[in-house]
Amino acid sequence: MNSEQIIEMNNISKYFPGVMANQDISFGVGRGEIHALLGENGAGKSTLMSILAGLYRPDTGIIKIDGQPVKFNSPRDALGCGIGMIYQHFRLVDNFTVAQNIILGTASEHIHLNPARAEKTVAEMAGRYGFDINPSLRVNQLSIGERQRVEILKMLYRGCNILIMDEPTTVLTPQEVKDLFGVLRRMAEQGKTIIVITHKLNEVMEIADRVTVLRKGQVVGGDSIKNVDENILTRMMVEHEVVYQRLERGGSTGQTVLKLSHLQVPGDQGYMAVRDVNLTVNAGEIVGIAGVAGNGQRELVEAIAGLRNPSGGTILLEGEDITRLNVRQRLKHGINMVPEDRIGMGLVPNLNIMDNSILRSYYTGEFISRGLLDYKKIGRYAEGLIKDFNIFAPNINHPVNFLSGGNLQKLLLGREISQKPRLLVASYPVRGLDIAASEAVYKLLLEERDKGTAILLVLEDLDDIFRLADRVAVMYDGRINGVMPVEEADTDKIGALMLGAQEMRGH
């Protein structure tokens, strides 16, 4: 790592209508440095990096690259200065090869006419950075980790010396995270400068040379990674200390609530997304589903909730066959769901809190009086949700699209929990949430488990699974590739199962 500053952002401010996203931020990064940018949701991280990548123009302030003032009117201008941003959702053409994706849109795109030459050029570049990737494969044949490498190679091919990576480990397996960190370290050793936007403190401590923390659009701290720890960084991010602890396990579990036997569920394109799954969830137990997104988790959850019809196998709820029941019938039986798409599938953004609170129960007798909706009852119910689940909102008439992600998730969870479920199925309930909001959501889930509810929890962060779950089930290629008590699980073992290294069917 070189202490020479390649990036200087001085007194940067950016305003949107009613929002001050960045206020007088000064931020610098050394050449050959891996620099972590931390902060809660809405802290201004993405806005600041979007300014550096040319997507936004600052309202005030100066950007210097290699000591020279620059002005970016577009991402192309930033690319011209060697700056590229890699987003969470990759921008690749699935039916094109690796080589075609990398050279697409560049001055040398004419070598598409000579595929062998294009593949040789890409292979030579990949070799320089220690990338193990076949340039002739189509993108739709690649794993998520390999696709990410294609995005990195795209930027390197365009001459980028500064890479901005937005939450780069979100959809990777533990082994792929290790591989990515090795790639980033080699790139830094070769003089590339890397900025990583992430909320995973353990990864910051592992990969970063320096860290900068934003809060409410301002820099609140920054230092060499050698001088900080996770507690210090957490206090900077959230203004108060979040206590991390190995969460208490529930007491002895009760009877089996959910039993899946040889479940088969087709995906959207006609392929079998869930294959011969056997799994049980008991009362007072959290079963965590681990796995890289896209291995059948969504289809499994939707089949349990009644949103997708199985093509084979059975779903039993406390011994009763509910395989063919519809969503309303399953709700009546006590199956409640928190979908991964909280705005869209879970809540209606243009409706207010009161209307969203009864989306799943408006047709029941509880809120109907003389054949009409009783808005006095509904209002009292919605006010109860706000109070009981600590939802920060001015009133029950507040549109939900103006709530923060954490408050949206508490509203969604509160609505489902208030119906006293026998089985609660939750998919990625803290995706996109900051530390404090995540802890609040997990507290609600643990309280529900302690009431005796059976909980099936799909998560992407293994550390959270190890903290919350009583048992861990790993999904790979639509199958349950292993089930074990959390005490017997570790990152290496679960990571291997997530990659399909073993076939340990369990239930």
Side-chain angles (χ1 to χ4, degrees):
M1 182 185 70
N2 194 320
S3 60
E4 176 192 356
Q5 294 276 288
I6 188 172
I7 299 169
E8 296 175 69
M9 302 181 77
N10 298 321
N11 308 114
I12 300 293
S13 295
K14 180 65 181 177
Y15 303 90
F16 297 103
V19 176
M20 182 169 56
N22 295 149
Q23 182 180 14
D24 199 30
I25 289 178
S26 292
F27 173 74
V29 182
R31 188 184 307 277
E33 179 177 278
I34 300 178
H35 198 113
L37 190 61
L38 288 177
E40 293 189 276
N41 297 337
K45 307 183 302 296
S46 295
T47 299
L48 185 66
M49 290 300 96
S50 294
I51 289 171
L52 183 59
L55 288 170
Y56 297 145
R57 298 183 197 177
D59 294 316
T60 65
I62 297 172
I63 301 173
K64 293 182 180 180
I65 304 297
D66 273 330
Q68 299 300 312
V70 295
K71 288 187 177 180
F72 299 146
N73 295 316
S74 70
R76 184 176 292 276
D77 291 343
L79 276 172
C81 285
I83 302 171
M85 189 163 178
I86 298 171
Y87 299 88
Q88 290 186 57
H89 303 289
F90 305 142
R91 301 179 176 188
L92 300 172
V93 182
D94 282 354
N95 290 326
F96 280 16
T97 66
V98 169
Q100 288 170 332
N101 269 281
I102 288 170
I103 66 175
L104 184 64
T106 66
S108 57
E109 191 177 352
H110 62 275
I111 67 174
H112 269 307
L113 301 175
N114 189 336
R117 181 182 168 194
E119 290 166 11
K120 181 182 177 183
T121 300
V122 170
E124 289 172 352
M125 183 179 66
R128 288 199 299 273
Y129 295 99
F131 281 45
D132 181 17
I133 196 162
N134 185 342
S136 64
L137 288 178
R138 281 194 286 272
V139 164
N140 59 15
Q141 297 174 284
L142 304 179
S143 70
I144 297 295
E146 289 171 326
R147 294 183 193 203
Q148 187 178 63
R149 293 185 180 199
V150 176
E151 287 281 16
I152 294 172
L153 284 170
K154 272 174 58 179
M155 293 304 168
L156 295 175
Y157 187 79
R158 285 156 176 75
C160 291
N161 294 311
I162 300 167
L163 291 181
I164 305 165
M165 304 195 72
D166 186 11
E167 298 285 359
T169 66
T170 297
V171 294
L172 302 184
T173 67
Q175 184 56 51
E176 286 174 327
V177 171
K178 290 181 182 178
D179 292 343
L180 172 65
F181 286 177
V183 166
L184 297 183
R185 186 56 65 196
R186 285 194 297 273
M187 290 170 59
E189 289 168 355
Q190 295 179 36
K192 304 296 182 184
T193 300
I194 299 157
I195 302 172
V196 178
I197 303 171
T198 180
H199 67 279
K200 298 180 180 179
L201 297 180
N202 61 322
E203 294 180 358
V204 171
M205 301 304 297
E206 181 178 349
I207 189 61
D209 298 309
R210 293 185 64 82
V211 58
T212 296
V213 181
L214 300 187
R215 187 173 70 223
K216 297 180 180 178
Q218 296 178 300
V219 173
V220 293
D223 207 337
S224 168
I225 208 70
K226 298 175 184 176
N227 299 330
V228 297
D229 59 28
E230 292 187 16
N231 288 329
I232 291 173
L233 295 176
T234 300
R235 286 195 295 272
M236 288 187 196
M237 291 170 64
V238 302
E239 295 187 275
H240 59 84
E241 187 169 0
V242 176
V243 178
Y244 290 98
Q245 57 187 4
R246 186 79 174 184
L247 299 173
E248 292 295 325
R249 302 273 165 243
S252 57
T253 59
Q255 66 178 6
T256 297
V257 174
L258 175 71
K259 183 176 182 180
L260 309 177
S261 298
H262 305 291
L263 194 66
Q264 304 268 118
V265 184
D268 294 332
Q269 306 301 321
Y271 63 94
M272 200 56 63
V274 175
R275 309 179 186 194
D276 196 33
V277 163
N278 297 294
L279 185 68
T280 60
V281 186
N282 301 319
E285 175 187 49
I286 295 177
V287 173
I289 299 285
V292 177
N295 276 276
Q297 298 97 316
R298 179 170 64 89
E299 291 83 359
L300 176 67
V301 164
E302 290 179 357
I304 293 169
L307 296 168
R308 188 180 293 264
N309 292 323
S311 60
T314 58
I315 304 173
L316 302 182
L317 187 72
E318 294 182 344
E320 181 181 352
D321 190 341
I322 62 166
T323 311
R324 301 301 165 195
L325 297 187
N326 60 34
V327 174
R328 283 194 180 181
Q329 290 169 324
R330 294 191 199 202
L331 275 170
K332 189 175 180 180
H333 278 69
I335 297 180
N336 288 75
M337 175 187 179
V338 177
E340 59 181 289
D341 180 13
R342 51 182 172 256
I343 287 290
M345 181 177 285
L347 300 165
V348 179
N350 292 326
L351 295 182
N352 60 30
I353 291 174
M354 181 167 61
D355 290 335
N356 271 283
S357 71
I358 60 163
L359 282 180
R360 304 260 278 172
S361 55
Y362 67 89
Y363 53 87
T364 65
E366 182 181 0
F367 300 114
I368 294 176
S369 177
R370 297 179 181 178
L372 298 173
L373 288 174
D374 187 333
Y375 277 96
K376 285 187 178 180
K377 284 186 179 178
I378 297 169
R380 287 194 296 270
Y381 171 69
E383 287 170 351
L385 289 182
I386 289 175
K387 179 181 177 182
D388 295 343
F389 296 96
N390 199 26
I391 299 166
F392 292 99
N395 54 62
I396 59 175
N397 296 309
H398 193 66
V400 300
N401 58 347
F402 293 130
L403 294 177
S404 69
N407 286 306
L408 284 171
Q409 199 69 337
K410 285 190 284 185
L411 173 61
L412 187 50
L413 259 174
R415 185 186 71 195
E416 301 302 307
I417 288 173
S418 69
Q419 295 177 37
K420 298 180 173 57
R422 296 152 75 187
L423 171 69
L424 179 64
V425 184
S427 293
Y428 308 108
V430 299
R431 177 177 281 171
L433 303 188
D434 56 51
I435 295 170
S438 298
E439 291 296 304
V441 168
Y442 287 156
K443 182 174 182 288
L444 291 174
L445 289 170
L446 290 170
E447 289 173 351
E448 193 62 19
R449 177 205 64 186
D450 293 342
K451 294 176 186 175
T453 304
I455 299 176
L456 185 66
L457 187 59
V458 182
L459 289 173
E460 57 197 359
D461 192 316
L462 289 185
D463 288 340
D464 287 340
I465 287 181
F466 294 152
R467 291 176 67 221
L468 289 166
D470 300 291
R471 285 188 295 139
V472 185
V474 182
M475 286 201 76
Y476 172 75
D477 195 27
R479 303 178 187 276
I480 296 294
N481 205 29
V483 182
M484 66 193 72
V486 74
E487 292 82 5
E488 299 175 11
D490 59 43
T491 300
D492 290 338
K493 186 182 293 186
I494 297 299
L497 291 170
M498 289 168 66
L499 290 169
Q502 307 177 43
E503 293 284 316
M504 295 186 350
R505 303 294 156 70
H507 56 84

